[in-house]
Amino acid sequence: MSVTNDNCEMPRAKGEPGGLHIGVIGGGQLGQMLGLAGVAMGHRFTFLDPAYEPPAAAIGRHIQAEFDDAEALEQLAVECDIVTLEFENVPLASAAAVAERNCLMPGPQALAVAQDRLEEKQFFEGLGLGVAPWVQVDSVRDIVQGVAHLEGASILKTRRFGYDGKGQVRLADPAHAAHEGGPGNPGEAASAWEALGGAPAVLEKMIDFEREVSIVAARSRTGEIRFYPLATNEHRAGILWQTVIADDEPLQREAQAAARLVLEKLDYVGVLAIEFFVRDGHLLVNEMAPRVHNSGHWSVGGARSSQFENHIRAILGWPLGDTAPAGAAAMLNLVGRMPDPEAVLAVPGTSLHDYGKTPRPRRKLGHVTVTGPDHITLESRLDRLRALITPPEAG
């Protein structure tokens, strides 16, 4: 089934022959890696990003402008053959403006769902997918009542713009807190509300889960879908620290079924990631990201076709590449400081990716991908790497 919109004909080069000119909203490390994959296939890139020298600027032309700059958005839409994005918090008005002048993939509909946790949870539930119990929060009173309703420890999350542990406040289980000043107390609720700036939020019940996993999937504008292996993720201080591809056929099938529902309901084109909690041997959806994803970085060197290559293939309507792993594979994020590159590369099966960013606490500076012929060898190599790499710190 074709998923091409009326204003999204198959792209043809407007300028130089032999490749397409791809516009990307965002110029961070994800844009950088999209560009590296696309340049290898003969394409050219223009990135729109407000930073002075974002990582992707080394790969193609850089339009330095805010994401709501109408003139810059017009320039990107007019000069490029097709436009995509590398992060989900693009203003919806900006996405719509680009989509009116050019083909934007993924489109504004996916952004609208992913940018708002309330919309996202309602979307998942509408598809019959399980999520952790939650309540909508628009006031301090909603927090007090929500804590009582959820009956346990909970986490307050802003509806918009939360990532890497930001925009969240944890509330302890009222049954284990002091009667005075506990989470159900208006004073504690007011403090949590104030910590999030009084922004609309959702309150989620904190559940006991076995592990966190994610699936990365690609859907082409022709309707072809491919799935990468399910990955097990470990976070430190709210930031992804380690991803190891899993070998769990029942959960793989369940994750693929959920991803297929999301992809087809949204008429989605490109790479999309969905994060889950594993509980009692089944999956609960946590959230989705309508873009290439940190937990899929292992695919660069660890899969036969990376998530970045498949995103480019998908938006152009080209056949998708093989997502099978080339053995056991994992990824470690480099956060806050870079390790000694020689020591890292001395570990067999590793590849080092430096985004070219200025170091600062909690900033993702790069990642290391490591592969092995089997999981025992992989774990041995991971042990050596973890001794060299500082995990994310709270802050």
mmCIF file with all atom_site columns, all heavy atoms in Angstrom, residues 216 228-229 231 243-245 294-304 307 323-327 329-331 367 369-371:
data_model
loop_
_atom_site.group_PDB
_atom_site.id
_atom_site.type_symbol
_atom_site.label_atom_id
_atom_site.label_alt_id
_atom_site.label_comp_id
_atom_site.label_asym_id
_atom_site.label_entity_id
_atom_site.label_seq_id
_atom_site.pdbx_PDB_ins_code
_atom_site.Cartn_x
_atom_site.Cartn_y
_atom_site.Cartn_z
_atom_site.occupancy
_atom_site.B_iso_or_equiv
_atom_site.pdbx_formal_charge
_atom_site.auth_seq_id
_atom_site.auth_comp_id
_atom_site.auth_asym_id
_atom_site.auth_atom_id
_atom_site.pdbx_PDB_model_num
ATOM 1   N N   . VAL A 1 216 ? 13.394 -0.243  17.127 1.00 0.00 ? 216 VAL A N   1
ATOM 2   C CA  . VAL A 1 216 ? 13.562 0.740   16.066 1.00 0.00 ? 216 VAL A CA  1
ATOM 3   C C   . VAL A 1 216 ? 13.025 0.105   14.790 1.00 0.00 ? 216 VAL A C   1
ATOM 4   O O   . VAL A 1 216 ? 13.381 -1.030  14.455 1.00 0.00 ? 216 VAL A O   1
ATOM 5   C CB  . VAL A 1 216 ? 15.036 1.132   15.907 1.00 0.00 ? 216 VAL A CB  1
ATOM 6   C CG1 . VAL A 1 216 ? 15.240 2.024   14.684 1.00 0.00 ? 216 VAL A CG1 1
ATOM 7   C CG2 . VAL A 1 216 ? 15.531 1.841   17.173 1.00 0.00 ? 216 VAL A CG2 1
ATOM 8   N N   . TYR A 1 228 ? 14.319 -3.580  13.459 1.00 0.00 ? 228 TYR A N   1
ATOM 9   C CA  . TYR A 1 228 ? 15.608 -3.962  14.047 1.00 0.00 ? 228 TYR A CA  1
ATOM 10  C C   . TYR A 1 228 ? 15.353 -4.840  15.270 1.00 0.00 ? 228 TYR A C   1
ATOM 11  O O   . TYR A 1 228 ? 14.251 -4.835  15.835 1.00 0.00 ? 228 TYR A O   1
ATOM 12  C CB  . TYR A 1 228 ? 16.399 -2.713  14.444 1.00 0.00 ? 228 TYR A CB  1
ATOM 13  C CG  . TYR A 1 228 ? 16.973 -1.985  13.251 1.00 0.00 ? 228 TYR A CG  1
ATOM 14  C CD1 . TYR A 1 228 ? 16.251 -0.970  12.624 1.00 0.00 ? 228 TYR A CD1 1
ATOM 15  C CD2 . TYR A 1 228 ? 18.226 -2.329  12.742 1.00 0.00 ? 228 TYR A CD2 1
ATOM 16  C CE1 . TYR A 1 228 ? 16.774 -0.319  11.517 1.00 0.00 ? 228 TYR A CE1 1
ATOM 17  C CE2 . TYR A 1 228 ? 18.747 -1.675  11.633 1.00 0.00 ? 228 TYR A CE2 1
ATOM 18  C CZ  . TYR A 1 228 ? 18.017 -0.673  11.020 1.00 0.00 ? 228 TYR A CZ  1
ATOM 19  O OH  . TYR A 1 228 ? 18.521 -0.038  9.923  1.00 0.00 ? 228 TYR A OH  1
ATOM 20  N N   . PRO A 1 229 ? 16.350 -5.605  15.696 1.00 0.00 ? 229 PRO A N   1
ATOM 21  C CA  . PRO A 1 229 ? 16.178 -6.419  16.893 1.00 0.00 ? 229 PRO A CA  1
ATOM 22  C C   . PRO A 1 229 ? 15.851 -5.555  18.110 1.00 0.00 ? 229 PRO A C   1
ATOM 23  O O   . PRO A 1 229 ? 16.337 -4.432  18.251 1.00 0.00 ? 229 PRO A O   1
ATOM 24  C CB  . PRO A 1 229 ? 17.542 -7.098  17.068 1.00 0.00 ? 229 PRO A CB  1
ATOM 25  C CG  . PRO A 1 229 ? 18.163 -7.077  15.721 1.00 0.00 ? 229 PRO A CG  1
ATOM 26  C CD  . PRO A 1 229 ? 17.683 -5.814  15.070 1.00 0.00 ? 229 PRO A CD  1
ATOM 27  N N   . ALA A 1 231 ? 16.074 -4.046  21.669 1.00 0.00 ? 231 ALA A N   1
ATOM 28  C CA  . ALA A 1 231 ? 17.276 -3.701  22.426 1.00 0.00 ? 231 ALA A CA  1
ATOM 29  C C   . ALA A 1 231 ? 16.927 -3.490  23.891 1.00 0.00 ? 231 ALA A C   1
ATOM 30  O O   . ALA A 1 231 ? 15.885 -2.918  24.217 1.00 0.00 ? 231 ALA A O   1
ATOM 31  C CB  . ALA A 1 231 ? 17.916 -2.440  21.861 1.00 0.00 ? 231 ALA A CB  1
ATOM 32  N N   . THR A 1 243 ? 23.017 0.201   25.598 1.00 0.00 ? 243 THR A N   1
ATOM 33  C CA  . THR A 1 243 ? 22.028 -0.547  24.824 1.00 0.00 ? 243 THR A CA  1
ATOM 34  C C   . THR A 1 243 ? 22.665 -1.842  24.352 1.00 0.00 ? 243 THR A C   1
ATOM 35  O O   . THR A 1 243 ? 23.779 -1.822  23.795 1.00 0.00 ? 243 THR A O   1
ATOM 36  C CB  . THR A 1 243 ? 21.547 0.258   23.609 1.00 0.00 ? 243 THR A CB  1
ATOM 37  O OG1 . THR A 1 243 ? 20.818 1.398   24.042 1.00 0.00 ? 243 THR A OG1 1
ATOM 38  C CG2 . THR A 1 243 ? 20.645 -0.586  22.723 1.00 0.00 ? 243 THR A CG2 1
ATOM 39  N N   . VAL A 1 244 ? 21.980 -2.963  24.572 1.00 0.00 ? 244 VAL A N   1
ATOM 40  C CA  . VAL A 1 244 ? 22.451 -4.269  24.114 1.00 0.00 ? 244 VAL A CA  1
ATOM 41  C C   . VAL A 1 244 ? 21.306 -4.929  23.364 1.00 0.00 ? 244 VAL A C   1
ATOM 42  O O   . VAL A 1 244 ? 20.185 -5.011  23.887 1.00 0.00 ? 244 VAL A O   1
ATOM 43  C CB  . VAL A 1 244 ? 22.889 -5.161  25.289 1.00 0.00 ? 244 VAL A CB  1
ATOM 44  C CG1 . VAL A 1 244 ? 23.387 -6.510  24.767 1.00 0.00 ? 244 VAL A CG1 1
ATOM 45  C CG2 . VAL A 1 244 ? 23.970 -4.487  26.119 1.00 0.00 ? 244 VAL A CG2 1
ATOM 46  N N   . ILE A 1 245 ? 21.539 -5.364  22.131 1.00 0.00 ? 245 ILE A N   1
ATOM 47  C CA  . ILE A 1 245 ? 20.445 -6.004  21.406 1.00 0.00 ? 245 ILE A CA  1
ATOM 48  C C   . ILE A 1 245 ? 20.077 -7.314  22.099 1.00 0.00 ? 245 ILE A C   1
ATOM 49  O O   . ILE A 1 245 ? 20.939 -8.051  22.575 1.00 0.00 ? 245 ILE A O   1
ATOM 50  C CB  . ILE A 1 245 ? 20.770 -6.215  19.922 1.00 0.00 ? 245 ILE A CB  1
ATOM 51  C CG1 . ILE A 1 245 ? 21.995 -7.098  19.715 1.00 0.00 ? 245 ILE A CG1 1
ATOM 52  C CG2 . ILE A 1 245 ? 20.965 -4.887  19.219 1.00 0.00 ? 245 ILE A CG2 1
ATOM 53  C CD1 . ILE A 1 245 ? 22.170 -7.511  18.258 1.00 0.00 ? 245 ILE A CD1 1
ATOM 54  N N   . ASN A 1 294 ? 18.665 7.144   19.766 1.00 0.00 ? 294 ASN A N   1
ATOM 55  C CA  . ASN A 1 294 ? 19.913 6.798   20.457 1.00 0.00 ? 294 ASN A CA  1
ATOM 56  C C   . ASN A 1 294 ? 20.061 5.290   20.655 1.00 0.00 ? 294 ASN A C   1
ATOM 57  O O   . ASN A 1 294 ? 21.156 4.743   20.518 1.00 0.00 ? 294 ASN A O   1
ATOM 58  C CB  . ASN A 1 294 ? 19.930 7.519   21.808 1.00 0.00 ? 294 ASN A CB  1
ATOM 59  C CG  . ASN A 1 294 ? 21.305 7.612   22.440 1.00 0.00 ? 294 ASN A CG  1
ATOM 60  O OD1 . ASN A 1 294 ? 21.477 8.244   23.467 1.00 0.00 ? 294 ASN A OD1 1
ATOM 61  N ND2 . ASN A 1 294 ? 22.300 6.979   21.863 1.00 0.00 ? 294 ASN A ND2 1
ATOM 62  N N   . SER A 1 295 ? 18.980 4.603   20.956 1.00 0.00 ? 295 SER A N   1
ATOM 63  C CA  . SER A 1 295 ? 19.074 3.160   21.191 1.00 0.00 ? 295 SER A CA  1
ATOM 64  C C   . SER A 1 295 ? 19.300 2.369   19.909 1.00 0.00 ? 295 SER A C   1
ATOM 65  O O   . SER A 1 295 ? 19.526 1.159   19.956 1.00 0.00 ? 295 SER A O   1
ATOM 66  C CB  . SER A 1 295 ? 17.823 2.649   21.916 1.00 0.00 ? 295 SER A CB  1
ATOM 67  O OG  . SER A 1 295 ? 16.683 2.692   21.062 1.00 0.00 ? 295 SER A OG  1
ATOM 68  N N   . GLY A 1 296 ? 19.255 3.051   18.760 1.00 0.00 ? 296 GLY A N   1
ATOM 69  C CA  . GLY A 1 296 ? 19.543 2.385   17.496 1.00 0.00 ? 296 GLY A CA  1
ATOM 70  C C   . GLY A 1 296 ? 20.936 2.666   16.967 1.00 0.00 ? 296 GLY A C   1
ATOM 71  O O   . GLY A 1 296 ? 21.289 2.221   15.859 1.00 0.00 ? 296 GLY A O   1
ATOM 72  N N   . HIS A 1 297 ? 21.759 3.377   17.750 1.00 0.00 ? 297 HIS A N   1
ATOM 73  C CA  . HIS A 1 297 ? 23.111 3.707   17.275 1.00 0.00 ? 297 HIS A CA  1
ATOM 74  C C   . HIS A 1 297 ? 23.980 2.474   17.068 1.00 0.00 ? 297 HIS A C   1
ATOM 75  O O   . HIS A 1 297 ? 24.931 2.507   16.268 1.00 0.00 ? 297 HIS A O   1
ATOM 76  C CB  . HIS A 1 297 ? 23.805 4.649   18.266 1.00 0.00 ? 297 HIS A CB  1
ATOM 77  C CG  . HIS A 1 297 ? 23.258 6.049   18.258 1.00 0.00 ? 297 HIS A CG  1
ATOM 78  N ND1 . HIS A 1 297 ? 22.247 6.448   17.420 1.00 0.00 ? 297 HIS A ND1 1
ATOM 79  C CD2 . HIS A 1 297 ? 23.588 7.146   19.001 1.00 0.00 ? 297 HIS A CD2 1
ATOM 80  C CE1 . HIS A 1 297 ? 21.977 7.727   17.637 1.00 0.00 ? 297 HIS A CE1 1
ATOM 81  N NE2 . HIS A 1 297 ? 22.780 8.170   18.583 1.00 0.00 ? 297 HIS A NE2 1
ATOM 82  N N   . TRP A 1 298 ? 23.670 1.386   17.774 1.00 0.00 ? 298 TRP A N   1
ATOM 83  C CA  . TRP A 1 298 ? 24.444 0.154   17.603 1.00 0.00 ? 298 TRP A CA  1
ATOM 84  C C   . TRP A 1 298 ? 24.397 -0.324  16.153 1.00 0.00 ? 298 TRP A C   1
ATOM 85  O O   . TRP A 1 298 ? 25.297 -1.071  15.700 1.00 0.00 ? 298 TRP A O   1
ATOM 86  C CB  . TRP A 1 298 ? 23.905 -0.955  18.512 1.00 0.00 ? 298 TRP A CB  1
ATOM 87  C CG  . TRP A 1 298 ? 22.530 -1.412  18.116 1.00 0.00 ? 298 TRP A CG  1
ATOM 88  C CD1 . TRP A 1 298 ? 21.339 -0.929  18.577 1.00 0.00 ? 298 TRP A CD1 1
ATOM 89  C CD2 . TRP A 1 298 ? 22.200 -2.392  17.126 1.00 0.00 ? 298 TRP A CD2 1
ATOM 90  N NE1 . TRP A 1 298 ? 20.284 -1.546  17.941 1.00 0.00 ? 298 TRP A NE1 1
ATOM 91  C CE2 . TRP A 1 298 ? 20.786 -2.452  17.045 1.00 0.00 ? 298 TRP A CE2 1
ATOM 92  C CE3 . TRP A 1 298 ? 22.956 -3.226  16.302 1.00 0.00 ? 298 TRP A CE3 1
ATOM 93  C CZ2 . TRP A 1 298 ? 20.120 -3.306  16.182 1.00 0.00 ? 298 TRP A CZ2 1
ATOM 94  C CZ3 . TRP A 1 298 ? 22.297 -4.081  15.430 1.00 0.00 ? 298 TRP A CZ3 1
ATOM 95  C CH2 . TRP A 1 298 ? 20.881 -4.117  15.389 1.00 0.00 ? 298 TRP A CH2 1
ATOM 96  N N   . SER A 1 299 ? 23.354 0.096   15.412 1.00 0.00 ? 299 SER A N   1
ATOM 97  C CA  . SER A 1 299 ? 23.173 -0.396  14.040 1.00 0.00 ? 299 SER A CA  1
ATOM 98  C C   . SER A 1 299 ? 24.257 0.106   13.091 1.00 0.00 ? 299 SER A C   1
ATOM 99  O O   . SER A 1 299 ? 24.445 -0.463  12.012 1.00 0.00 ? 299 SER A O   1
ATOM 100 C CB  . SER A 1 299 ? 21.788 -0.004  13.510 1.00 0.00 ? 299 SER A CB  1
ATOM 101 O OG  . SER A 1 299 ? 21.663 1.411   13.387 1.00 0.00 ? 299 SER A OG  1
ATOM 102 N N   . VAL A 1 300 ? 24.971 1.196   13.465 1.00 0.00 ? 300 VAL A N   1
ATOM 103 C CA  . VAL A 1 300 ? 26.092 1.668   12.651 1.00 0.00 ? 300 VAL A CA  1
ATOM 104 C C   . VAL A 1 300 ? 27.275 0.735   12.929 1.00 0.00 ? 300 VAL A C   1
ATOM 105 O O   . VAL A 1 300 ? 27.952 0.844   13.941 1.00 0.00 ? 300 VAL A O   1
ATOM 106 C CB  . VAL A 1 300 ? 26.469 3.121   12.979 1.00 0.00 ? 300 VAL A CB  1
ATOM 107 C CG1 . VAL A 1 300 ? 27.610 3.576   12.071 1.00 0.00 ? 300 VAL A CG1 1
ATOM 108 C CG2 . VAL A 1 300 ? 25.273 4.037   12.816 1.00 0.00 ? 300 VAL A CG2 1
ATOM 109 N N   . GLY A 1 301 ? 27.496 -0.198  12.058 1.00 0.00 ? 301 GLY A N   1
ATOM 110 C CA  . GLY A 1 301 ? 28.542 -1.190  12.246 1.00 0.00 ? 301 GLY A CA  1
ATOM 111 C C   . GLY A 1 301 ? 28.047 -2.467  12.877 1.00 0.00 ? 301 GLY A C   1
ATOM 112 O O   . GLY A 1 301 ? 28.706 -3.501  12.778 1.00 0.00 ? 301 GLY A O   1
ATOM 113 N N   . GLY A 1 302 ? 26.873 -2.424  13.527 1.00 0.00 ? 302 GLY A N   1
ATOM 114 C CA  . GLY A 1 302 ? 26.342 -3.609  14.182 1.00 0.00 ? 302 GLY A CA  1
ATOM 115 C C   . GLY A 1 302 ? 25.233 -4.292  13.412 1.00 0.00 ? 302 GLY A C   1
ATOM 116 O O   . GLY A 1 302 ? 24.854 -5.419  13.722 1.00 0.00 ? 302 GLY A O   1
ATOM 117 N N   . ALA A 1 303 ? 24.673 -3.597  12.411 1.00 0.00 ? 303 ALA A N   1
ATOM 118 C CA  . ALA A 1 303 ? 23.630 -4.181  11.559 1.00 0.00 ? 303 ALA A CA  1
ATOM 119 C C   . ALA A 1 303 ? 24.072 -4.060  10.105 1.00 0.00 ? 303 ALA A C   1
ATOM 120 O O   . ALA A 1 303 ? 24.922 -3.238  9.759  1.00 0.00 ? 303 ALA A O   1
ATOM 121 C CB  . ALA A 1 303 ? 22.298 -3.473  11.766 1.00 0.00 ? 303 ALA A CB  1
ATOM 122 N N   . ARG A 1 304 ? 23.454 -4.832  9.252  1.00 0.00 ? 304 ARG A N   1
ATOM 123 C CA  . ARG A 1 304 ? 23.851 -4.813  7.843  1.00 0.00 ? 304 ARG A CA  1
ATOM 124 C C   . ARG A 1 304 ? 23.496 -3.477  7.180  1.00 0.00 ? 304 ARG A C   1
ATOM 125 O O   . ARG A 1 304 ? 24.165 -3.049  6.244  1.00 0.00 ? 304 ARG A O   1
ATOM 126 C CB  . ARG A 1 304 ? 23.221 -5.993  7.115  1.00 0.00 ? 304 ARG A CB  1
ATOM 127 C CG  . ARG A 1 304 ? 23.825 -7.326  7.564  1.00 0.00 ? 304 ARG A CG  1
ATOM 128 C CD  . ARG A 1 304 ? 23.300 -8.513  6.786  1.00 0.00 ? 304 ARG A CD  1
ATOM 129 N NE  . ARG A 1 304 ? 24.125 -9.708  7.046  1.00 0.00 ? 304 ARG A NE  1
ATOM 130 C CZ  . ARG A 1 304 ? 23.967 -10.515 8.072  1.00 0.00 ? 304 ARG A CZ  1
ATOM 131 N NH1 . ARG A 1 304 ? 23.012 -10.286 8.951  1.00 0.00 ? 304 ARG A NH1 1
ATOM 132 N NH2 . ARG A 1 304 ? 24.753 -11.559 8.246  1.00 0.00 ? 304 ARG A NH2 1
ATOM 133 N N   . GLN A 1 307 ? 20.252 2.363   10.976 1.00 0.00 ? 307 GLN A N   1
ATOM 134 C CA  . GLN A 1 307 ? 18.987 3.088   11.051 1.00 0.00 ? 307 GLN A CA  1
ATOM 135 C C   . GLN A 1 307 ? 19.048 4.382   10.231 1.00 0.00 ? 307 GLN A C   1
ATOM 136 O O   . GLN A 1 307 ? 18.032 4.819   9.670  1.00 0.00 ? 307 GLN A O   1
ATOM 137 C CB  . GLN A 1 307 ? 18.633 3.413   12.500 1.00 0.00 ? 307 GLN A CB  1
ATOM 138 C CG  . GLN A 1 307 ? 19.597 4.337   13.217 1.00 0.00 ? 307 GLN A CG  1
ATOM 139 C CD  . GLN A 1 307 ? 19.038 4.858   14.527 1.00 0.00 ? 307 GLN A CD  1
ATOM 140 O OE1 . GLN A 1 307 ? 17.833 4.882   14.758 1.00 0.00 ? 307 GLN A OE1 1
ATOM 141 N NE2 . GLN A 1 307 ? 19.931 5.283   15.421 1.00 0.00 ? 307 GLN A NE2 1
ATOM 142 N N   . THR A 1 323 ? 18.051 -5.307  8.161  1.00 0.00 ? 323 THR A N   1
ATOM 143 C CA  . THR A 1 323 ? 18.189 -4.858  9.555  1.00 0.00 ? 323 THR A CA  1
ATOM 144 C C   . THR A 1 323 ? 18.790 -5.925  10.468 1.00 0.00 ? 323 THR A C   1
ATOM 145 O O   . THR A 1 323 ? 18.907 -5.712  11.681 1.00 0.00 ? 323 THR A O   1
ATOM 146 C CB  . THR A 1 323 ? 16.819 -4.449  10.113 1.00 0.00 ? 323 THR A CB  1
ATOM 147 O OG1 . THR A 1 323 ? 15.896 -5.534  9.945  1.00 0.00 ? 323 THR A OG1 1
ATOM 148 C CG2 . THR A 1 323 ? 16.283 -3.223  9.392  1.00 0.00 ? 323 THR A CG2 1
ATOM 149 N N   . ALA A 1 324 ? 19.176 -7.042  9.917  1.00 0.00 ? 324 ALA A N   1
ATOM 150 C CA  . ALA A 1 324 ? 19.722 -8.126  10.742 1.00 0.00 ? 324 ALA A CA  1
ATOM 151 C C   . ALA A 1 324 ? 21.054 -7.718  11.356 1.00 0.00 ? 324 ALA A C   1
ATOM 152 O O   . ALA A 1 324 ? 21.861 -7.039  10.716 1.00 0.00 ? 324 ALA A O   1
ATOM 153 C CB  . ALA A 1 324 ? 19.903 -9.387  9.902  1.00 0.00 ? 324 ALA A CB  1
ATOM 154 N N   . PRO A 1 325 ? 21.315 -8.120  12.598 1.00 0.00 ? 325 PRO A N   1
ATOM 155 C CA  . PRO A 1 325 ? 22.597 -7.793  13.228 1.00 0.00 ? 325 PRO A CA  1
ATOM 156 C C   . PRO A 1 325 ? 23.714 -8.640  12.658 1.00 0.00 ? 325 PRO A C   1
ATOM 157 O O   . PRO A 1 325 ? 23.502 -9.772  12.214 1.00 0.00 ? 325 PRO A O   1
ATOM 158 C CB  . PRO A 1 325 ? 22.357 -8.127  14.701 1.00 0.00 ? 325 PRO A CB  1
ATOM 159 C CG  . PRO A 1 325 ? 21.310 -9.204  14.671 1.00 0.00 ? 325 PRO A CG  1
ATOM 160 C CD  . PRO A 1 325 ? 20.425 -8.876  13.492 1.00 0.00 ? 325 PRO A CD  1
ATOM 161 N N   . ALA A 1 326 ? 24.920 -8.073  12.683 1.00 0.00 ? 326 ALA A N   1
ATOM 162 C CA  . ALA A 1 326 ? 26.094 -8.807  12.221 1.00 0.00 ? 326 ALA A CA  1
ATOM 163 C C   . ALA A 1 326 ? 26.779 -9.462  13.410 1.00 0.00 ? 326 ALA A C   1
ATOM 164 O O   . ALA A 1 326 ? 27.977 -9.321  13.625 1.00 0.00 ? 326 ALA A O   1
ATOM 165 C CB  . ALA A 1 326 ? 27.048 -7.862  11.503 1.00 0.00 ? 326 ALA A CB  1
ATOM 166 N N   . GLY A 1 327 ? 26.008 -10.189 14.216 1.00 0.00 ? 327 GLY A N   1
ATOM 167 C CA  . GLY A 1 327 ? 26.516 -10.789 15.441 1.00 0.00 ? 327 GLY A CA  1
ATOM 168 C C   . GLY A 1 327 ? 25.907 -10.103 16.653 1.00 0.00 ? 327 GLY A C   1
ATOM 169 O O   . GLY A 1 327 ? 24.937 -9.356  16.549 1.00 0.00 ? 327 GLY A O   1
ATOM 170 N N   . ALA A 1 329 ? 25.710 -7.263  19.475 1.00 0.00 ? 329 ALA A N   1
ATOM 171 C CA  . ALA A 1 329 ? 26.088 -5.856  19.349 1.00 0.00 ? 329 ALA A CA  1
ATOM 172 C C   . ALA A 1 329 ? 25.550 -5.058  20.524 1.00 0.00 ? 329 ALA A C   1
ATOM 173 O O   . ALA A 1 329 ? 24.532 -5.402  21.126 1.00 0.00 ? 329 ALA A O   1
ATOM 174 C CB  . ALA A 1 329 ? 25.563 -5.283  18.037 1.00 0.00 ? 329 ALA A CB  1
ATOM 175 N N   . ALA A 1 330 ? 26.262 -3.965  20.832 1.00 0.00 ? 330 ALA A N   1
ATOM 176 C CA  . ALA A 1 330 ? 25.871 -3.087  21.931 1.00 0.00 ? 330 ALA A CA  1
ATOM 177 C C   . ALA A 1 330 ? 26.396 -1.688  21.663 1.00 0.00 ? 330 ALA A C   1
ATOM 178 O O   . ALA A 1 330 ? 27.209 -1.460  20.756 1.00 0.00 ? 330 ALA A O   1
ATOM 179 C CB  . ALA A 1 330 ? 26.409 -3.610  23.264 1.00 0.00 ? 330 ALA A CB  1
ATOM 180 N N   . MET A 1 331 ? 25.920 -0.727  22.459 1.00 0.00 ? 331 MET A N   1
ATOM 181 C CA  . MET A 1 331 ? 26.337 0.664   22.351 1.00 0.00 ? 331 MET A CA  1
ATOM 182 C C   . MET A 1 331 ? 26.469 1.253   23.742 1.00 0.00 ? 331 MET A C   1
ATOM 183 O O   . MET A 1 331 ? 25.656 0.977   24.625 1.00 0.00 ? 331 MET A O   1
ATOM 184 C CB  . MET A 1 331 ? 25.306 1.451   21.545 1.00 0.00 ? 331 MET A CB  1
ATOM 185 C CG  . MET A 1 331 ? 25.637 2.907   21.269 1.00 0.00 ? 331 MET A CG  1
ATOM 186 S SD  . MET A 1 331 ? 25.199 4.083   22.595 1.00 0.00 ? 331 MET A SD  1
ATOM 187 C CE  . MET A 1 331 ? 23.452 3.805   22.795 1.00 0.00 ? 331 MET A CE  1
ATOM 188 N N   . HIS A 1 367 ? 29.449 8.130   21.069 1.00 0.00 ? 367 HIS A N   1
ATOM 189 C CA  . HIS A 1 367 ? 29.091 6.779   21.515 1.00 0.00 ? 367 HIS A CA  1
ATOM 190 C C   . HIS A 1 367 ? 30.107 5.784   20.983 1.00 0.00 ? 367 HIS A C   1
ATOM 191 O O   . HIS A 1 367 ? 30.873 6.086   20.061 1.00 0.00 ? 367 HIS A O   1
ATOM 192 C CB  . HIS A 1 367 ? 27.670 6.398   21.083 1.00 0.00 ? 367 HIS A CB  1
ATOM 193 C CG  . HIS A 1 367 ? 27.515 6.162   19.607 1.00 0.00 ? 367 HIS A CG  1
ATOM 194 N ND1 . HIS A 1 367 ? 27.201 7.161   18.716 1.00 0.00 ? 367 HIS A ND1 1
ATOM 195 C CD2 . HIS A 1 367 ? 27.626 5.029   18.858 1.00 0.00 ? 367 HIS A CD2 1
ATOM 196 C CE1 . HIS A 1 367 ? 27.118 6.666   17.493 1.00 0.00 ? 367 HIS A CE1 1
ATOM 197 N NE2 . HIS A 1 367 ? 27.381 5.367   17.550 1.00 0.00 ? 367 HIS A NE2 1
ATOM 198 N N   . THR A 1 369 ? 30.272 1.797   19.662 1.00 0.00 ? 369 THR A N   1
ATOM 199 C CA  . THR A 1 369 ? 29.587 0.567   19.265 1.00 0.00 ? 369 THR A CA  1
ATOM 200 C C   . THR A 1 369 ? 30.570 -0.587  19.396 1.00 0.00 ? 369 THR A C   1
ATOM 201 O O   . THR A 1 369 ? 31.749 -0.448  19.034 1.00 0.00 ? 369 THR A O   1
ATOM 202 C CB  . THR A 1 369 ? 29.081 0.655   17.819 1.00 0.00 ? 369 THR A CB  1
ATOM 203 O OG1 . THR A 1 369 ? 28.115 1.695   17.718 1.00 0.00 ? 369 THR A OG1 1
ATOM 204 C CG2 . THR A 1 369 ? 28.434 -0.651  17.387 1.00 0.00 ? 369 THR A CG2 1
ATOM 205 N N   . VAL A 1 370 ? 30.092 -1.698  19.930 1.00 0.00 ? 370 VAL A N   1
ATOM 206 C CA  . VAL A 1 370 ? 30.953 -2.871  20.072 1.00 0.00 ? 370 VAL A CA  1
ATOM 207 C C   . VAL A 1 370 ? 30.188 -4.103  19.612 1.00 0.00 ? 370 VAL A C   1
ATOM 208 O O   . VAL A 1 370 ? 28.992 -4.247  19.883 1.00 0.00 ? 370 VAL A O   1
ATOM 209 C CB  . VAL A 1 370 ? 31.457 -3.041  21.524 1.00 0.00 ? 370 VAL A CB  1
ATOM 210 C CG1 . VAL A 1 370 ? 30.301 -3.132  22.511 1.00 0.00 ? 370 VAL A CG1 1
ATOM 211 C CG2 . VAL A 1 370 ? 32.368 -4.255  21.654 1.00 0.00 ? 370 VAL A CG2 1
ATOM 212 N N   . THR A 1 371 ? 30.866 -4.960  18.884 1.00 0.00 ? 371 THR A N   1
ATOM 213 C CA  . THR A 1 371 ? 30.260 -6.190  18.385 1.00 0.00 ? 371 THR A CA  1
ATOM 214 C C   . THR A 1 371 ? 31.103 -7.385  18.797 1.00 0.00 ? 371 THR A C   1
ATOM 215 O O   . THR A 1 371 ? 32.266 -7.238  19.193 1.00 0.00 ? 371 THR A O   1
ATOM 216 C CB  . THR A 1 371 ? 30.137 -6.162  16.847 1.00 0.00 ? 371 THR A CB  1
ATOM 217 O OG1 . THR A 1 371 ? 31.444 -6.018  16.279 1.00 0.00 ? 371 THR A OG1 1
ATOM 218 C CG2 . THR A 1 371 ? 29.259 -5.009  16.386 1.00 0.00 ? 371 THR A CG2 1
#
